Amino acid sequence: MRPFGAVLRGLRQESRLTMEELSEASGVSVRAIGDMERGRSRVPQRRTVVALAEGLGLTDTEREAMLAAARAGRPTRAVVAAGVAVPPRSVGDFTGRDAELARLREAAERASSGARASVSVSVISGSPGCGKTTLALKAAADLAPEFPDGCFVVDLHGVEGAVDPGEALPKLLTALGVSGRRLAEEDQQGHAGLLRALLADLRCLVVLDNARDEAQVRPLLPAAGRSLVLVTSRRPLSGLEDVDRLPLSEMTQPEAVELLRKIIGAERADAEAEAVARVAQLCGCLPLAMRVAGNWLTVRSGWPVDQLVRRLADEERRLGALAAGDVRVEAAFELSYRQLTGQAARMLRLLSLVPGPDMTTSYGAALTATGVFEAEDVMEELVEAGLLRTTYVGRYQLHDLLKLFARARLSRDEAPDEREAAEDRLHSWLLETAVVAGRWYLPEYGKPPSTWQGLDPLDSEEQARAWLENEAAAWLAALRRAARRGEHTRVVETADAMGWAYHVTLYLGHWPEVFRLSSEAAAALADPRRQAAHLNYYSVVLSACEHNYRAGIERADEALECARLAQDLSQQGWALLHAVWPHRQLGEVQEGFDKARRAADLFEAADDHVGWLDAMGFYGGLLRRLGRSAEAVAQHERVITFLDEPDCPVTGHAADYFLAAALEALGEDWAALGQWREAVVHYRRARAEFKRIGVPHREGETLLRLGEALIELRDTEEARRCLRQALALGDAADGSDLETVQKLLDSLPAE
């Protein structure tokens, strides 16, 4: 069959039309017609051929012949220039990524339909080994039928030996059918323009794999048309405009297990399902690591999977063990590491010292002894390099395997004294900030002094609480380190600051360890008063967090002995008082009542107003339990009257908490007397106070009591709303209370 250009020229000449006249009649540019006739460009798409046929006034038979010549002139996807590959057959064991593939299919549909004014470009970015190329090739294989003019892959070698756009453009243009003579006539700018013109007229899928930066990619991106370009890069290429961004992270645990199952075989994987799951966990569900592990097991088909688990369990050897043939996980990390600036490389090394699962820029600042903004700039460089990821606003995360890589580089590239100094700075900052945050809740402290300047703002109770919660894993690790190093005073002082903070974050569950460490540190200091105080704290949280009531009483008894040795009346009162609730939970009401009354007397003698308020709350509650609810009402009203005094010595969070607790207690008193409307009034006030000061476990408890009272008043719908509000608190509320709430809700008649 004659070339399309010759066919077009013959038909034009038979119609006695100049190029200019055919251009005017068809709407196709003179230059495009000339290039086609001379064979200097690929043949056009169907719509262009149809436009030319109409401009030439061809019959149906002549038009079909012209379309046939055009189809015959198009190179198949198997015609490829050097340096440009046709997408290989999709990886047979490709697993997961359903959401990402769906997004890429949507991008293809938008491109094919011409729904956008410009070409669809999707940037797939992520850390080394997260499967960017595999995803792009899988998408290309799946979507190839949607792009009849070709599907091409260009490896830009962005991590090492990057391909210059001046090299990539001719290769891609050659694959698209542009002649060598035409290429020789144009410079790089001309090549970029020619690529844009071709892709504006064709429907192609182009994968630009392993891009280094925006400058390498820009000349390869078309400006309009119905093509789709997929760009993979370790960097997000945030400088590119009008692109879709698809950040890629590690697989989910089930996806990682399924991938390993496909690689080593279902029978073998299912026989050692627990070991397979452990391999996925130790690989951090990173696709490259999973594939290396799977290949390692495939070669060693006679070995149990647990053998690999044992190799990977050793953190010092894990990265070295993740190697199969010439594929090494560590090598993928090393390539990105080499491209970092000196500051960023050092930051990556030091971030391996962070003990928690994620971090803020303040961690980087503390480690490097710089300001927050300076640290942020360097950490963002790591994000751009794909070595650090953002989890949500203001927080960063280092993948487990990257953390091991950074830790190895820290040992190799950082002097031991510099490493220890950085670690000391980090842990000192964590504990100092924890002290300031915890003191927000202490009656004698509250807001930090104006002279205090920390890396994080703690200007309100909300900020203090958020810091204690968000950084809990890190400051607890710092406390453990201080305890191991025998820094007893620091441990005690940190826990001292938490004397009231645990009330608002009780559900975090780490408080028994905090106060166990502090009571041990106080004992090591041979300070009986401090030992009594921290044994008292320990007693409370054993009962409240672990529901270990007998152990709570035992620690309180130990605290009482220490307090007597120190001749401290307040701590004696607290030791008695902290045994009251566990006695009550164990059904030992009289023992609890006696200790509450003795504690109140001791607090009054010591002029300890906070202790007295707490003791009166327990005392009133036990009066109710003993059937003396009217007396309990009088005691709780006495507490509220004391707190309402204009010169009340107890202020701040402590006063707010005692008021809310007294209101809830009054609700229970009135409920015990069968005065349900009075009970509802007080429960509502108590709930509002607990919500305002942020004590979710007490708020949930009060909502439960309110729901019960409303049911007694036959207000089923309002009760249902209250119980659902309690459930909505989720993990922040007491779990046992939530079970009761659900049972009560289920017992209500259907809506």
Side-chain angles (χ1 to χ4, degrees):
M1 181 175 286
R2 294 168 64 202
F4 175 79
V7 171
L8 174 60
R9 184 171 57 254
L11 289 170
R12 180 178 61 78
Q13 290 172 348
E14 287 175 13
S15 300
R16 298 183 181 279
L17 294 175
T18 65
M19 288 187 189
E20 289 77 8
E21 289 170 336
L22 178 56
S23 173
E24 185 175 350
S26 65
V28 179
S29 71
V30 173
R31 178 175 178 178
I33 293 171
D35 285 347
M36 283 185 276
E37 288 190 3
R38 298 183 185 95
R40 296 174 67 181
S41 67
R42 284 190 57 174
V43 292
Q45 285 188 290
R46 179 184 175 86
R47 66 178 185 273
T48 304
V49 178
V50 170
L52 289 168
E54 290 176 353
L56 290 165
L58 301 182
T59 65
D60 290 345
T61 301
E62 290 171 329
R63 185 177 66 174
E64 287 304 316
M66 188 177 183
L67 286 168
R71 285 193 296 271
R74 289 189 182 121
T76 66
R77 284 191 291 273
V79 179
V80 195
V84 179
V86 173
R89 179 174 54 85
S90 180
V91 178
D93 55 21
F94 186 90
T95 304
R97 305 299 195 191
D98 294 338
E100 291 84 356
L101 286 171
R103 280 187 58 182
L104 293 176
R105 178 162 289 281
E106 289 172 5
E109 290 170 356
R110 288 195 304 269
S112 296
S113 66
R116 280 184 165 187
S118 61
V119 168
S120 289
V121 178
S122 292
V123 176
I124 304 169
S125 63
S127 62
C130 71
K132 301 178 291 297
T133 298
T134 304
L135 174 64
L137 295 181
K138 167 65 174 173
D142 291 352
L143 299 173
E146 308 295 326
F147 297 92
D149 292 314
C151 189
F152 309 96
V153 178
V154 182
D155 188 350
L156 298 176
H157 297 281
V159 179
E160 194 169 46
V163 174
D164 186 86
E167 297 178 54
L169 277 166
K171 292 175 181 177
L172 189 52
L173 288 168
T174 300
L176 287 167
V178 178
S179 67
R181 185 179 65 180
R182 176 66 188 276
L183 290 174
E185 294 174 357
E186 303 281 359
D187 58 11
Q188 182 174 329
Q189 187 174 357
H191 290 163
L194 183 55
L195 179 64
R196 284 194 293 273
L198 284 172
L199 291 184
D201 198 37
L202 301 173
R203 287 175 60 192
C204 295
L205 193 158
V206 179
V207 177
L208 302 177
D209 188 37
N210 202 7
R212 176 189 59 205
D213 53 28
E214 294 89 342
Q216 188 188 30
V217 170
R218 279 196 185 96
L220 305 175
L221 299 181
R226 296 197 294 167
S227 293
L228 174 66
V229 179
L230 306 181
V231 183
T232 73
S233 178
R234 297 186 179 189
R235 300 174 179 273
L237 304 183
S238 51
L240 294 181
E241 299 176 354
D242 194 27
V243 301
D244 293 327
R245 301 193 185 282
L246 185 59
L248 206 60
S249 60
E250 66 269 19
M251 308 174 88
T252 65
Q253 175 77 6
E255 287 174 341
V257 168
E258 182 60 22
L259 175 58
L260 195 57
R261 190 171 179 269
K262 287 180 179 179
I263 295 173
I264 70 173
E267 184 177 351
R268 184 181 181 191
D270 293 346
E272 293 189 75
E274 187 175 335
V276 167
R278 182 63 177 147
V279 168
Q281 184 181 27
L282 290 169
C283 288
C285 298
L286 191 71
L288 176 61
M290 295 302 304
R291 190 162 294 284
V292 168
N295 292 346
W296 192 92
L297 288 168
T298 301
V299 171
R300 297 160 179 81
S301 57
W303 287 30
V305 178
D306 194 56
Q307 179 74 15
L308 179 58
V309 171
R310 288 193 290 272
R311 287 172 62 88
L312 296 178
D314 184 351
E315 286 191 351
E316 299 298 322
R317 298 176 56 198
R318 188 176 305 163
L319 279 177
L322 286 171
D326 62 351
V327 181
R328 295 187 305 119
V329 173
E330 188 172 14
F333 297 159
E334 183 70 38
L335 287 173
S336 289
Y337 179 73
R338 283 186 211 151
Q339 294 188 355
L340 296 174
T341 63
Q343 276 186 313
R346 182 168 186 263
M347 178 69 82
L348 180 67
R349 296 193 297 268
L350 293 178
L351 289 179
S352 69
L353 296 171
V354 173
D358 57 10
M359 66 202 79
T360 64
T361 52
S362 297
Y363 287 77
L367 284 163
T368 57
T370 59
V372 172
F373 295 120
E374 292 90 336
E376 183 178 29
D377 288 342
V378 181
M379 291 171 76
E380 283 298 319
E381 181 183 338
L382 294 174
V383 172
E384 287 288 322
L387 296 175
L388 191 64
R389 63 185 175 196
T390 54
T391 51
Y392 51 95
V393 178
R395 299 199 76 83
Y396 300 83
Q397 194 171 58
L398 197 60
H399 187 276
D400 289 347
L401 293 179
L402 270 169
K403 195 168 190 175
L404 292 179
F405 173 84
R407 191 178 299 163
R409 292 300 175 277
L410 181 68
S411 298
R412 190 185 73 182
D413 301 338
E414 207 82 29
D417 58 337
E418 291 180 1
R419 168 181 173 162
E420 187 170 357
E423 196 166 15
D424 285 345
R425 286 194 299 270
L426 174 66
H427 287 259
S428 294
W429 165 70
L430 285 166
L431 294 182
E432 288 167 6
T433 310
V435 166
V436 174
R439 283 177 175 171
W440 251 109
Y441 299 94
L442 291 177
E444 64 269 32
Y445 285 99
K447 186 175 182 177
S450 58
T451 55
W452 183 79
Q453 293 191 357
L455 295 174
D456 290 325
L458 296 175
D459 298 327
S460 66
E461 283 186 25
E462 291 75 18
Q463 288 179 334
R465 175 178 175 169
W467 193 94
L468 289 172
E469 292 176 353
N470 294 337
E471 317 311 330
W475 67 255
L476 182 57
L479 191 70
R480 292 185 188 122
R481 179 176 182 261
R484 288 195 305 270
R485 290 158 62 102
E487 298 171 1
H488 305 308
T489 300
R490 169 170 274 185
V491 172
V492 168
E493 288 178 350
T494 303
D496 274 337
M498 305 295 174
W500 276 81
Y502 71 84
H503 282 284
V504 296
T505 56
L506 195 65
Y507 58 89
L508 290 177
H510 56 235
W511 296 111
E513 182 179 5
V514 170
F515 292 117
R516 174 183 60 79
L517 291 174
S518 64
S519 58
E520 291 171 354
L525 291 171
D527 185 334
R529 192 201 66 77
R530 276 186 157 178
Q531 190 177 359
H534 289 273
L535 283 168
N536 275 325
Y537 292 138
Y538 192 19
S539 168
V540 173
V541 295
L542 281 171
S543 299
C545 295
E546 298 184 354
H547 304 299
N548 191 344
Y549 305 121
R550 190 57 64 193
I553 293 170
E554 290 170 358
R555 298 294 83 72
D557 289 345
E558 291 176 17
L560 183 60
E561 291 303 314
C562 291
R564 285 172 175 163
L565 182 62
Q567 299 182 345
D568 188 315
L569 295 181
S570 286
Q571 289 302 330
Q572 291 176 48
W574 286 114
L576 291 166
L577 189 61
H578 291 329
V580 171
W581 189 63
H583 275 307
R584 188 176 71 179
Q585 294 301 106
L586 293 169
E588 299 163 358
V589 179
Q590 189 60 53
E591 289 90 333
F593 179 78
D594 292 341
K595 287 185 177 180
R597 185 167 54 187
R598 286 165 54 200
D601 292 342
L602 283 166
F603 286 132
E604 196 163 8
D607 206 24
D608 186 334
H609 303 294
V610 170
W612 179 82
L613 284 167
D614 212 357
M616 291 301 291
F618 279 105
Y619 179 60
L622 288 166
L623 281 170
R624 184 192 328 114
R625 289 289 291 268
L626 292 169
R628 298 159 62 178
S629 297
E631 293 177 63
V633 168
Q635 294 302 327
H636 291 131
E637 286 182 339
R638 182 183 172 195
V639 168
I640 292 175
T641 299
F642 176 83
L643 290 167
D644 284 341
E645 291 291 334
D647 57 348
C648 178
V650 181
T651 59
H653 176 83
D656 293 338
Y657 183 87
F658 283 126
L659 176 61
L663 288 167
E664 183 192 23
L666 272 170
E668 293 189 68
D669 296 339
W670 289 117
L673 292 167
Q675 301 293 318
W676 297 108
R677 294 194 184 282
E678 285 290 334
V680 165
V681 168
H682 287 87
Y683 284 142
R684 281 180 172 151
R685 285 188 62 196
R687 185 268 171 125
E689 288 298 313
F690 281 129
K691 182 178 178 65
R692 181 179 66 82
I693 63 176
V695 188
H697 66 283
R698 295 299 300 270
E699 182 188 354
E701 174 189 300
T702 307
L703 282 166
L704 169 59
R705 303 285 174 261
L706 177 56
E708 291 171 335
L710 288 165
I711 291 171
E712 292 290 340
L713 291 173
R714 303 186 186 282
D715 191 347
T716 305
E717 291 311 306
E718 181 64 20
R720 196 191 313 275
R721 279 193 290 273
C722 289
L723 295 173
R724 285 175 175 168
Q725 287 171 343
L727 286 179
L729 292 170
D731 294 339
D734 186 279
S736 58
D737 277 350
L738 291 181
E739 291 178 15
T740 306
V741 169
Q742 187 62 64
K743 289 178 182 176
L744 190 58
L745 194 57
D746 293 342
S747 71
L748 295 179
E751 294 181 84

